[in-house]
Amino acid sequence: MLIPSANLPLPRMFAPQEYLAALGYGLETCLVVNCSNTSTSIVPIWKSNIMRHNAVVLPVGGQDVTRALKLMIEADETIQTYNKTFDIKEDIVDEIKIKLSYVAPEYRKELQKQPKKEEYELTDGEK
């Protein structure tokens, strides 16, 4: 016998994603940064209270980072000399971004480091 779940007296619970992120790390006070494909939201949490009035939503997301990376790759002189008709697809650039990029915990120290050369193998076996 099936009992429809709508008839069961279950309590309903809703918790905002920002609060759940803080709770997952065991933090009562923090700054939650959520970078989606189209925007980035920054929400402060103070003593387990979400400070919505101080939250900021920026219209910059992952797709903007992908487009900027694509422009950087296309402007690279070594690629231009290798193939004059070079046109890289955005999904390949997105895959490169996901596999090789990261957020630096200490940005100023990261700028002082020598950049690492990483190779990415294309789907046709080219590097």
Side-chain angles (χ1 to χ4, degrees):
M1 175 176 179
L2 278 175
I3 301 173
S5 61
N7 297 334
L8 294 176
L10 297 174
R12 295 180 186 199
M13 187 174 111
F14 171 76
Q17 182 180 8
E18 297 86 0
Y19 179 71
L20 293 175
L23 189 64
Y25 281 97
L27 301 172
E28 290 183 354
T29 301
C30 64
L31 192 64
V32 178
V33 179
N34 180 16
C35 184
S36 70
N37 196 36
T38 57
S39 65
T40 300
S41 64
I42 305 166
V43 181
I45 297 179
W46 178 258
K47 295 183 180 179
S48 296
N49 294 310
I50 299 173
M51 313 298 282
R52 288 265 179 224
H53 58 282
N54 291 333
V56 176
V57 177
L58 303 172
V60 176
Q63 69 185 11
D64 300 305
V65 175
T66 301
R67 275 193 225 112
L69 181 58
K70 181 179 179 184
L71 290 173
M72 290 171 62
I73 291 171
E74 288 173 343
D76 190 339
E77 291 176 10
T78 57
I79 292 173
Q80 289 177 355
T81 56
Y82 175 72
N83 187 350
K84 299 282 186 199
T85 60
F86 184 74
D87 183 37
I88 189 166
K89 294 181 180 167
E90 203 159 299
D91 58 333
I92 293 174
V93 176
D94 195 48
E95 189 177 322
I96 292 170
K97 176 189 75 173
I98 291 169
K99 287 186 177 181
L100 301 177
S101 64
Y102 63 95
V103 176
E106 295 187 35
Y107 179 71
R108 297 200 192 285
K109 285 185 181 179
E110 197 72 24
L111 286 176
Q112 295 171 354
K113 290 182 183 177
Q114 285 287 59
K116 291 191 309 186
K117 293 264 183 184
E118 296 280 347
E119 284 192 1
Y120 176 80
E121 189 170 324
L122 297 171
T123 53
D124 62 358
E126 292 284 328
K127 288 186 179 187

